[in-house]
Amino acid sequence: MAEKNFTIMEEFILLGFSELPNIQGFLFVIFLVIYINILLGSGLIILITNMEPALQTPMYYFLGNFSFVEICYTSVTLPKMLMNLWRQKINISLLSCAVQLCFFLILGVTESFLLAVMAYDRYVAICKPLYYRLIMNHKICVQMVIGSWVTGIPILIGQTYQVFSVPFCGSNKLNHVFCDMPPLMKLACGNTSGDEFFIYIDCFLFGLIPFLLILLSYVRILNTILKLPSTTGRSKAFSTCSSHLIVICLFYGSGITAYLQSKSSYSDTTDKIFSLFYTIVTPMFNPMIYSLRNKDFIEAARKLFCKCVGGRIT
């Protein structure tokens, strides 16, 4: 009988917010507004960093790529969530679930490495300013971005295959808003300690190591800033790094909390909250954090707006 359950499992039921049937329409509107804000905010950053000559620097090159990843990252989960809320259809096939999880993991790891690359860029700019153009040349920047994209792909494809190779028995109800690893492992049969071990290994490789590199970069940055004789210089250096630090805290704080918990301590409600935070809330705030705290970006946006308005008037 158990063997039969393993073979007929062809889809999952994403429970999501089914326990709140009276506010499905309200949630749809909220998530739609958030998704539009993410597309517009991140899209604007990509547009301005590519069109404004003053922003053709490694820092804004990485920011443009990070914004593109943010759009892809949210597009893996949010459209499906919106469709489920609109159509009241909450099933997802096993293949679609696997594809969603795989892309979700790959894009999440890409974000993690890009944040580390951006921290290294700030380290070179503040700690080795005379060698900045030599070290952070265009070729190196492109290689860093490509490396951030491809480093984890083979392992994460293997990880996704491993997760969906385990037998799922009993209920096919996935008490989550999208296909994520912790809720999937909760439905797995038998002893999954080995699979959980590999999940922790992946978290270490693709989460903790980039975080430690970021931490090391900022320790050296802080040490250099404190040695600056000018208060104005210290303030400017802190201002350059503050936006990036806020994004790091938001991304890693929620992500690590959601993934570094055992199956026994797993909580559906808590995990839903944290997953919504690092998949929706953080990408929504990131464009505002980077743009509103950056005078050069605000000036570039103003110039672009004036060009567009002037072109329409003429």
Side-chain angles (χ1 to χ4, degrees):
M1 187 67 184
E3 193 174 320
K4 183 180 178 183
N5 284 339
F6 302 157
T7 57
I8 65 172
M9 183 76 76
E10 296 179 355
E11 66 177 16
F12 292 110
I13 304 297
L14 284 170
L15 295 182
F17 307 101
S18 57
E19 72 275 14
L20 303 169
N22 296 328
I23 61 170
Q24 298 284 304
F26 175 74
L27 290 174
F28 174 82
V29 173
I30 293 295
F31 288 142
L32 179 62
V33 170
I34 290 174
Y35 188 44
I36 292 172
N37 282 336
I38 293 171
L39 295 179
L40 291 177
S42 297
L44 186 63
I45 288 177
I46 296 170
L47 179 66
I48 292 176
T49 53
N50 279 281
M51 291 187 64
E52 178 57 43
L55 302 184
Q56 301 298 309
T57 64
M59 182 177 75
Y60 292 105
Y61 174 72
F62 294 135
L63 179 57
N65 279 277
F66 182 78
S67 298
F68 175 71
V69 175
E70 290 271 78
I71 291 175
C72 297
Y73 185 60
T74 53
S75 296
V76 170
T77 57
L78 253 177
K80 178 63 176 176
M81 288 168 57
L82 289 170
M83 189 183 302
N84 290 345
L85 288 169
W86 178 257
R87 299 171 57 190
Q88 301 291 309
K89 185 181 179 182
I90 55 178
N91 63 308
I92 183 170
S93 69
L94 206 67
L95 178 60
S96 297
C97 188
V99 170
Q100 185 183 65
L101 176 64
C102 188
F103 277 101
F104 176 75
L105 293 175
I106 289 171
L107 291 164
V109 167
T110 302
E111 277 204 24
S112 182
F113 278 111
L114 277 177
L115 286 171
V117 166
M118 293 165 78
Y120 177 73
D121 173 69
R122 292 299 83 207
Y123 158 72
V124 177
I126 293 173
C127 301
K128 300 182 178 182
L130 298 178
Y131 300 97
Y132 182 73
R133 291 184 178 276
L134 179 64
I135 296 174
M136 302 302 295
N137 59 70
H138 182 67
K139 182 180 178 181
I140 293 296
C141 291
V142 172
Q143 289 175 347
M144 285 182 170
V145 170
I146 294 174
S148 299
W149 273 96
V150 304
T151 298
I153 289 179
I155 296 176
L156 294 171
I157 290 176
Q159 179 73 77
T160 304
Y161 176 78
Q162 183 182 11
V163 169
F164 283 88
S165 294
V166 300
F168 297 101
C169 58
S171 173
N172 66 339
K173 293 179 179 178
L174 198 64
N175 194 4
H176 205 57
V177 290
F178 60 89
C179 290
D180 202 359
M181 205 172 291
L184 282 168
M185 295 308 300
K186 189 179 180 183
L187 296 182
C189 294
N191 183 11
T192 60
S193 57
D195 299 291
E196 288 185 8
F197 173 75
F198 282 110
I199 290 173
Y200 292 137
I201 292 295
D202 286 348
C203 288
F204 176 77
L205 290 174
F206 303 127
L208 193 57
I209 288 180
F211 180 75
L212 291 176
L213 292 175
I214 292 169
L215 190 62
L216 178 62
S217 296
Y218 275 105
V219 166
R220 295 188 175 183
I221 287 170
L222 182 62
N223 185 49
T224 301
I225 289 175
L226 293 176
K227 291 179 181 179
L228 294 175
S230 168
T231 306
T232 305
R234 288 197 294 269
S235 176
K236 185 177 180 180
F238 273 121
S239 178
T240 303
C241 300
S242 59
S243 299
H244 187 236
L245 281 171
I246 294 171
V247 172
I248 288 168
C249 292
L250 290 173
F251 179 79
Y252 278 100
S254 55
I256 290 175
T257 304
Y259 271 80
L260 292 185
Q261 55 180 328
S262 64
K263 186 176 178 180
S264 58
S265 63
Y266 177 83
S267 168
D268 293 325
T269 304
T270 303
D271 192 63
K272 281 184 189 180
I273 294 171
F274 279 113
S275 63
L276 286 175
F277 199 86
Y278 66 76
T279 57
I280 297 176
V281 179
T282 301
M284 180 182 67
F285 282 118
N286 285 351
M288 291 183 279
I289 293 170
Y290 277 117
S291 59
L292 296 180
R293 298 177 61 87
N294 191 308
K295 293 180 180 179
D296 293 336
F297 187 87
I298 292 173
E299 179 61 23
R302 187 190 64 80
K303 287 167 62 177
L304 181 63
F305 177 75
C306 291
K307 284 181 182 179
C308 293
V309 173
R312 289 181 180 179
I313 293 175
T314 56

